[in-house]
Amino acid sequence: NLGEDEPGQDSFQPVGQLEASTQRCPETLQMDVFRECTDNMRVETLHREQMNCLQRHSWSAATLKVLSSMPSRIAGTNSAAVVSRRARHSSQLHRHQTSSHDSSHPSRPIQDDIVQADMEEISNEENKREQLVSNLRGLTVSEGMRKLRAMPLSLADKMEIRRLAFSDVAGSSLRNIPCYSRLSVYISRTGRHCLYSCLPVLSSLQLWHSPMKRLSGRFGTGVLSYFLFLRTLLLFNLLLFVINGLFLVLPQAINPPPPYDSHLDTLTGLELLTGTGFLSESVMFYGYYTNTVIKTCRAADSSHSSTSESCDTDKSQIVPYSIPAAYLFTIAIAFFIICIILVYSMSTSLGRSFRVLKSNGNLAVNVFCSWDFKVSKKMSVRLQSEKISTELKELLSEMISGDDAKSCMQRLCRLIVHLIAWVTCLVSISLGTMAVNYLSEYAVDQNPFRETKLLLLSTVVSGINLLLPGLFNLCAWVENHDSPSVRVYVSVFRNLLLKVSIVGVLCYRWLGRIAVEPERRNLQCWESFVGQELYCLLLMDFVFTVLYTFLGEFLWRLFSMRVLKRNRKPVFDIARNVLELIYGQTLTWLGVLFAPLLSAVQIIKLFMLFYMKKSSLLLNCQASRKPWRASQMTALFLSLLCFPSFLGAAVSVAYTVWMIKPSSGCGPFRNLTTMFQSGQLWAQELENAHPILSWLSWAYNSLVENPLFLFLTTGVFLMVIYFHTQVVDGQRRIIRRLEKQIENV
């Protein structure tokens, strides 16, 4: 019986297992449905948590939509769903495989169903891919690439589809291209690749590229804008020096005037500061240039340059080179070229400063796209990290900046403080201007020594320019502006008022007093005297800048660290230093008519100033405690350089050329009523001597002497600036409307 019972029990075991397995199938299906529901709930929960995390930052609805749909946020949910689905399939297979040890026959249909579902899914994907490839083959290569680029696929899938769709087309197109065309395509590709590879090298060859990166990373864009502006001024002066040197200084140096007095050879050291002595009879100043006409004779055996009396009338001559005409036209053309470059630079900087995108978009770009992965050196990595950190601080400070709520009493007190500060600044500017006027009219003219006159006036003017900006900074500290950018703009405006007032008084002295009555001051060549005063002012401005850098930055740092026992350094004064640059450049443009090589002095000054300011900034200064972004600072500096500085200098030079009588005993315009008359005489002589060049005389009469051309040129420049700003403003308005439409969706 026992032997019969055991086989009976064994025979009933598979039936029980089969019943258990058949009973387990509905439960398995219910568990699968439950797992799918939990997966979907988990994905929705993750998505809800991400949205709540984003909403904590109080961003707009459009920003929340963009951030929530980014690949970095949906990758986790998609990967979780895929992993859970794969785990469910693997658990089903593992469960059915374990049950197959007991009974392989009943579990095979379930395995076949799963495998069949997977095969159907794979076949559907392959069919979709084949259909996509066939659709792309029906399009042109450019249209197909554009559509493929817009598809939401991974990069590997796009590369595979492109290979399947366009490999035959590319091969056939390459076979149909002639050999020379294929060679030209390869050469153009190679050249483009070489150009792109050389772009980083070319950018690193820019003047002061590495120091600029270092200063930008440590001190921000506000300090960087000062050094960029300094480099721009250096390029302007290089252009002015090259034009004057090639067409004016070099021809006169090759044909020098008769020797000057020997008593001017005495060297006392003051000549380098005042421009007197041997420098007054050099190519530096106006009085050295002559009114001769250089003619080159074509002789049978040789050619030599001489004046008009040395050439025979029967010999062929090249076009005569008139020094007075070269003096006039060289300066006029240099000013015209600088005006074009200034207008173009100002219009582009205005368009760049009034950015179309908001700071939030720039913040996203800096967060996700600012790192350069080609950087490998430790120093470069550190500089780039400092730069990105500073930019993010500036953007965040701009985003969170806002006016604090103040009571009416606080606003009234703040308004009274502002009024007192402005009255103090205006009174100090008026007193400084009156002091310069009194000194230039009475005290200087009563001094019999010429060197003392020059040094006294330039020292007083430079001293006022050194002391009053300190008073402006004290008033700004009392006002306590909330925004650092507002403080910089206010300081720029106050310093600009000071510089414009002083330069206006000096221009009235030069053009309204000295040029009108030179005999009253015993001046045989008033142009050289004005050039010497401008030369002395430029040098003394540099000397006082060095003194301010040493006294105001270096000694203050030592006093703060050793006496006050504070580890605090002064902040770089952007407004003061920028206005010093504009002041020096205004003196250069004013003096180029009276001292053609004054631009060379300005070039040397700017070179020394860059390295001195850079060293002082790294050693004695610290970054601002309130980070701020100088988004419109470069445009402001170029606007100030264009309108008050260049426009004022151009008007003064034009007034001198058209209205004031030149000296009768020196210079290229002697014995003429005005400097402008030399151009008329040159045009008449050119038309009489060379009738074939009569078109030059017509161009001179139509363009230079006709005021309509000047007004039209000025109008075109103003229209370019206006239209450029209007286009940028229109783009900004359109994008604002689109952003509102996105938020309302």
Side-chain angles (χ1 to χ4, degrees):
N1 293 332
L2 293 174
E4 292 178 359
D5 292 339
E6 291 177 0
Q9 291 176 1
D10 293 337
S11 64
F12 282 102
Q13 247 181 356
V15 179
Q17 290 179 0
L18 179 59
E19 291 176 357
S21 63
T22 54
Q23 291 175 0
R24 212 178 291 133
C25 288
E27 296 176 358
T28 304
L29 295 176
Q30 291 178 2
M31 289 300 294
D32 293 339
V33 174
F34 178 73
R35 289 191 185 95
E36 290 181 358
C37 294
T38 52
D39 289 338
N40 295 330
M41 292 174 63
R42 189 181 299 109
V43 170
E44 293 177 358
T45 305
L46 289 173
H47 185 69
R48 192 179 300 109
E49 289 178 356
Q50 290 169 1
M51 292 295 293
N52 292 333
C53 180
L54 293 174
Q55 288 175 354
R56 292 194 199 105
H57 299 279
S58 65
W59 286 331
S60 62
T63 307
L64 293 175
K65 291 179 181 179
V66 172
L67 290 178
S68 61
S69 62
M70 292 184 68
S72 60
R73 295 192 177 273
I74 64 174
T77 58
N78 293 337
S79 61
V82 171
V83 169
S84 63
R85 193 178 299 114
R86 291 182 179 176
R88 187 170 60 253
H89 286 301
S90 62
S91 64
Q92 289 177 358
L93 288 174
H94 179 71
R95 187 168 57 251
H96 293 301
Q97 285 175 1
T98 54
S99 63
S100 66
H101 290 287
D102 299 331
S103 177
S104 61
H105 188 70
S107 63
R108 188 173 293 118
I110 300 175
Q111 293 181 2
D112 294 339
D113 293 339
I114 296 173
V115 173
Q116 186 177 0
D118 292 338
M119 292 299 292
E120 288 178 357
E121 186 177 357
I122 293 172
S123 62
N124 291 332
E125 292 180 358
E126 290 180 354
N127 292 332
K128 289 181 181 179
R129 177 174 294 186
E130 290 177 358
Q131 185 179 1
L132 179 60
V133 170
S134 63
N135 292 334
L136 292 176
R137 283 179 178 175
L139 302 173
T140 60
V141 178
S142 60
E143 185 70 18
M145 292 298 294
R146 186 180 65 82
K147 288 185 175 296
L148 182 60
R149 213 176 279 120
M151 292 179 182
L153 299 174
S154 64
L155 186 60
D157 293 338
K158 288 182 179 180
M159 293 175 64
E160 182 66 21
I161 294 173
R162 186 183 64 179
R163 184 184 64 81
L164 295 174
F166 304 117
S167 59
D168 298 336
V169 178
S172 61
S173 61
L174 286 176
R175 284 192 297 270
N176 296 329
I177 294 176
C179 181
Y180 62 90
S181 299
R182 196 181 306 172
L183 181 62
S184 64
V185 170
Y186 289 153
I187 291 174
S188 63
R189 286 180 181 177
T190 306
R192 197 182 304 116
H193 178 71
C194 294
L195 178 62
Y196 289 157
S197 61
C198 292
L199 282 178
V201 180
L202 294 176
S203 62
S204 63
L205 291 178
Q206 290 181 352
L207 185 63
W208 301 323
H209 179 71
S210 298
M212 293 282 189
K213 291 176 63 177
R214 186 179 180 185
L215 294 173
S216 174
R218 183 173 297 185
F219 297 97
T221 55
V223 177
L224 178 65
S225 62
Y226 165 79
F227 289 95
L228 290 175
F229 185 66
L230 190 149
R231 186 172 65 181
T232 303
L233 293 183
L234 181 63
L235 296 178
F236 279 130
N237 286 280
L238 282 173
L239 176 64
L240 187 61
F241 172 72
V242 169
I243 294 175
N244 286 341
L246 289 178
F247 299 102
L248 180 59
V249 177
L250 186 61
Q252 186 63 68
I254 295 175
N255 300 272
Y260 52 86
D261 297 336
S262 60
H263 71 277
L264 297 176
D265 290 333
T266 58
L267 183 62
T268 60
L270 291 177
E271 290 83 359
L272 296 177
L273 286 177
T274 59
T276 57
F278 70 95
L279 282 178
S280 62
E281 297 295 333
S282 64
V283 291
M284 173 66 72
F285 295 107
Y286 170 90
Y288 180 81
Y289 295 86
T290 60
N291 60 345
T292 58
V293 178
I294 303 173
K295 294 183 178 180
T296 303
C297 304
R298 290 180 178 174
D301 52 351
S302 63
S303 62
H304 60 278
S305 300
S306 61
T307 57
S308 59
E309 291 83 3
S310 300
C311 295
D312 298 334
T313 57
D314 56 347
K315 294 180 181 179
S316 60
Q317 300 176 3
I318 302 178
V319 178
Y321 194 86
S322 174
I323 294 295
Y327 202 105
L328 178 65
F329 290 127
T330 299
I331 294 175
I333 292 172
F335 269 75
F336 185 72
I337 294 174
I338 291 174
C339 180
I340 293 176
I341 298 174
L342 259 179
V343 170
Y344 176 76
S345 302
M346 187 175 64
S347 62
T348 53
S349 63
L350 283 174
R352 214 180 295 121
S353 62
F354 295 104
R355 292 180 310 279
V356 176
L357 296 177
K358 293 183 179 180
S359 59
N360 297 343
N362 293 334
L363 181 61
V365 170
N366 285 333
V367 169
F368 295 106
C369 308
S370 58
W371 185 260
D372 187 4
F373 290 93
K374 295 184 293 183
V375 175
S376 57
K377 296 181 180 180
K378 292 184 178 180
M379 180 62 69
S380 301
V381 170
R382 186 174 62 83
L383 289 177
Q384 189 169 5
S385 62
E386 288 181 354
K387 180 181 178 182
I388 295 173
S389 175
T390 306
E391 289 178 355
L392 291 177
K393 289 178 182 178
E394 293 173 355
L395 290 170
L396 290 173
S397 65
E398 184 175 341
M399 290 174 60
I400 65 177
S401 62
D403 296 334
D404 297 333
K406 297 181 178 64
S407 62
C408 295
M409 193 64 186
Q410 290 177 344
R411 292 180 181 179
L412 181 61
C413 295
R414 195 176 185 84
L415 180 61
I416 293 173
V417 169
H418 286 317
L419 288 176
I420 294 174
W422 274 104
V423 169
T424 304
C425 294
L426 292 176
V427 169
S428 62
I429 291 172
S430 303
L431 292 177
T433 306
M434 292 171 60
V436 172
N437 185 28
Y438 173 78
L439 187 67
S440 61
E441 290 294 329
Y442 302 101
V444 172
D445 292 336
Q446 294 176 0
N447 199 321
F449 299 101
R450 188 172 182 178
E451 291 82 2
T452 308
K453 291 181 182 180
L454 296 172
L455 286 178
L456 181 60
L457 180 62
S458 59
T459 302
V460 171
V461 170
S462 300
I464 292 174
N465 287 329
L466 176 67
L467 296 177
L468 287 187
L471 178 63
F472 299 159
N473 291 334
L474 181 61
C475 293
W477 178 75
V478 173
E479 289 175 315
N480 192 17
H481 293 283
D482 296 330
S483 174
S485 58
V486 174
R487 179 175 180 175
V488 171
Y489 289 140
V490 171
S491 300
V492 165
F493 187 72
R494 290 170 179 172
N495 284 276
L496 181 65
L497 285 178
L498 174 65
K499 307 294 183 184
V500 168
S501 302
I502 292 178
V503 172
V505 170
L506 293 176
C507 287
Y508 176 73
R509 162 183 163 80
W510 294 326
L511 305 181
R513 299 285 184 174
I514 296 177
V516 175
E517 301 174 348
E519 297 84 5
R520 181 170 170 267
R521 292 172 170 79
N522 297 324
L523 296 176
Q524 297 180 355
C525 190
W526 65 267
E527 294 91 348
S528 294
F529 179 75
V530 173
Q532 288 169 356
E533 284 197 345
L534 286 164
Y535 171 82
C536 190
L537 283 169
L538 195 63
L539 287 185
M540 292 304 295
D541 178 67
F542 176 71
V543 171
F544 275 77
T545 302
V546 174
L547 290 177
Y548 167 73
T549 304
F550 180 75
L551 296 176
E553 295 177 358
F554 178 70
L555 291 184
W556 174 253
R557 181 179 68 88
L558 293 180
F559 177 77
S560 178
M561 293 177 63
R562 298 186 179 181
V563 178
L564 300 179
K565 302 298 182 180
R566 294 180 181 178
N567 192 14
R568 289 185 59 184
K569 298 179 181 179
V571 180
F572 188 76
D573 194 350
I574 300 174
R576 177 178 190 157
N577 287 279
V578 167
L579 265 297
E580 286 179 356
L581 291 180
I582 294 177
Y583 170 72
Q585 190 60 41
T586 306
L587 295 180
T588 304
W589 282 332
L590 284 171
V592 72
L593 181 65
F594 312 108
L597 285 182
L598 198 61
S599 57
V601 180
Q602 178 72 353
I603 290 172
I604 299 173
K605 173 189 170 183
L606 291 176
F607 259 107
M608 298 177 65
L609 198 62
F610 174 82
Y611 290 103
M612 183 183 67
K613 288 293 182 182
K614 179 180 75 72
S615 302
S616 176
L617 183 65
L618 295 174
L619 181 64
N620 302 321
C621 297
Q622 66 178 4
S624 178
R625 289 180 294 176
K626 293 181 179 180
W628 59 284
R629 186 173 53 153
S631 57
Q632 301 176 3
M633 200 63 67
T634 304
L636 175 65
F637 296 161
L638 288 175
S639 302
L640 295 178
L641 182 67
C642 182
F643 286 117
S645 176
F646 178 78
L647 186 63
V651 168
S652 301
V653 170
Y655 177 78
T656 305
V657 170
W658 259 282
M659 301 299 295
I660 298 179
K661 182 180 179 180
S663 299
S664 58
C666 67
F669 306 108
R670 64 188 74 181
N671 300 323
L672 294 177
T673 306
T674 59
M675 297 181 183
F676 185 73
Q677 189 179 0
S678 63
Q680 299 173 346
L681 297 176
W682 174 79
Q684 294 175 1
E685 292 176 0
L686 186 64
E687 185 176 3
N688 296 330
H690 302 276
I692 195 174
L693 297 178
S694 60
W695 62 274
L696 287 176
S697 177
W698 174 84
Y700 173 80
N701 294 327
S702 302
L703 300 180
V704 179
E705 291 192 358
N706 192 1
L708 181 62
F709 175 74
L710 180 61
F711 287 113
L712 287 178
T713 306
T714 306
V716 168
F717 287 160
L718 294 177
M719 286 174 63
V720 167
I721 298 174
Y722 175 76
F723 282 123
H724 194 83
T725 54
Q726 288 299 313
V727 166
V728 174
D729 186 62
Q731 292 176 353
R732 190 170 53 217
R733 290 180 181 179
I734 291 173
I735 288 184
R736 285 178 181 173
R737 291 180 181 178
L738 292 175
E739 287 178 350
K740 289 182 179 179
Q741 292 178 5
I742 292 173
E743 292 179 358
N744 294 329
V745 172

